[in-house]
Amino acid sequence: MTGTDGPIPGDQHPSAPPVGRVRHPALVYLSGCLLFSTGAHFFIQSRLGTDPLDVFALGVLEHLPLTIGLCQAAVAIVCIGIWAAWNRRRPVLSPFLTFFLCGTLIDLQQWAGLAGYLRLGGYPLVLLGALLCAYASALIIMSGFGIRAIDLVAITVRQRWKWPFWCGKGLIEGALLLSGWLLGGPVGIGTVVFLVFVDLLIEPCVRFNQRYLAIPDRGFAVPAAVVPATPTT
């Protein structure tokens, strides 16, 4: 199962998990969506700031009669277009499934008041949210399906330019954060926590899952898409 109709640009890791211990990618993906939505719910309930994408969306809403969902979808379309052009691949739709699924789960958790049962204050809640979002992002990437649009571009940056994943992802989200702030979007300590901790922890979470849980990496560690060479005559 793959959300890109083929390999995601990445690089090979020598520590492949034993064949008998491979986890099913659908379970890895769905677990990632559930944990990511929970982390996002904790961020919202902490009231200390939201992620850079939402800062950008809320900033745009200060000037245009749109919705947060439309703004996020527009960013996703741009990122998928960049990924497709860079890798000479067809645009993919699976990131929009992740967008819809996580959004629906967040709405359900908001309605159920899940964070209230933990009886945690703002700062512990935002730190727990960061840990969950980082680990969940690692699971979604490792599933090889429905990888979030920004992460797709960051994976390509990692492969093509040999940058750390957090660097490519942080560059994109930093640009969204700065643009959103200039447009009037709200920025808080939670925004900084998301930008720093989530981006930095994703790759360590991938390595942890590979080494200790034997979850195969179908996102980072598959061969890069190769453009066929022109036949010679």
Side-chain angles (χ1 to χ4, degrees), residues 61-121:
L61 262 57
E62 293 289 326
H63 305 275
L64 296 175
L66 300 174
T67 65
I68 292 177
L70 285 175
C71 292
Q72 291 185 346
V75 172
I77 290 171
V78 171
C79 288
I80 290 171
I82 293 172
W83 176 85
W86 202 348
N87 293 284
R88 302 186 186 182
R89 305 282 293 278
R90 297 194 306 268
V92 291
L93 297 178
S94 57
F96 290 101
L97 174 62
T98 304
F99 176 83
F100 172 78
L101 181 56
C102 289
T104 301
L105 289 171
I106 291 170
D107 287 338
L108 288 173
Q109 291 169 358
Q110 289 284 98
W111 173 78
L114 178 63
Y117 293 101
L118 297 180
R119 301 185 181 278
L120 294 176

Side-chain angles (χ1 to χ4, degrees), residues 185-197:
V187 176
I189 186 64
T191 309
V192 178
V193 169
F194 188 99
L195 183 62
V196 175
F197 283 90

Side-chain angles (χ1 to χ4, degrees), residues 10-204:
D11 56 356
Q12 290 284 5
H13 289 264
S15 55
V19 174
R21 299 174 62 192
V22 170
R23 304 302 192 263
H24 196 286
L27 295 178
V28 176
Y29 171 73
L30 292 174
S31 298
C33 289
L34 178 59
L35 292 177
F36 189 90
S37 63
T38 304
H41 166 64
F42 289 168
F43 264 97
I44 294 170
Q45 291 302 308
S46 74
R47 295 179 173 84
L48 292 175
T50 186
D51 65 281
L53 179 57
D54 283 338
V55 171
F56 175 77
L58 291 170
V60 171
L61 262 57
E62 293 289 326
H63 305 275
L64 296 175
L66 300 174
T67 65
I68 292 177
L70 285 175
C71 292
Q72 291 185 346
V75 172
I77 290 171
V78 171
C79 288
I80 290 171
I82 293 172
W83 176 85
W86 202 348
N87 293 284
R88 302 186 186 182
R89 305 282 293 278
R90 297 194 306 268
V92 291
L93 297 178
S94 57
F96 290 101
L97 174 62
T98 304
F99 176 83
F100 172 78
L101 181 56
C102 289
T104 301
L105 289 171
I106 291 170
D107 287 338
L108 288 173
Q109 291 169 358
Q110 289 284 98
W111 173 78
L114 178 63
Y117 293 101
L118 297 180
R119 301 185 181 278
L120 294 176
Y123 289 102
L125 202 58
V126 80
L127 289 174
L128 181 57
L131 291 173
L132 287 175
C133 285
Y135 188 73
S137 295
L139 289 176
I140 293 172
I141 289 171
M142 295 180 78
S143 76
F145 178 83
I147 298 174
R148 301 174 75 219
I150 291 175
D151 292 349
L152 281 177
V153 178
I155 289 172
T156 301
V157 169
R158 181 180 186 265
Q159 167 65 16
R160 304 289 181 173
W161 295 348
K162 306 303 180 183
W163 288 10
F165 175 77
W166 64 265
C167 191
K169 183 174 172 65
L171 185 64
I172 299 167
E173 292 185 335
L176 289 172
L177 173 59
L178 178 60
S179 301
W181 177 70
L182 291 174
L183 290 170
V187 176
I189 186 64
T191 309
V192 178
V193 169
F194 188 99
L195 183 62
V196 175
F197 283 90
V198 174
D199 291 355
L200 285 174
L201 288 175
I202 290 176
E203 281 187 288

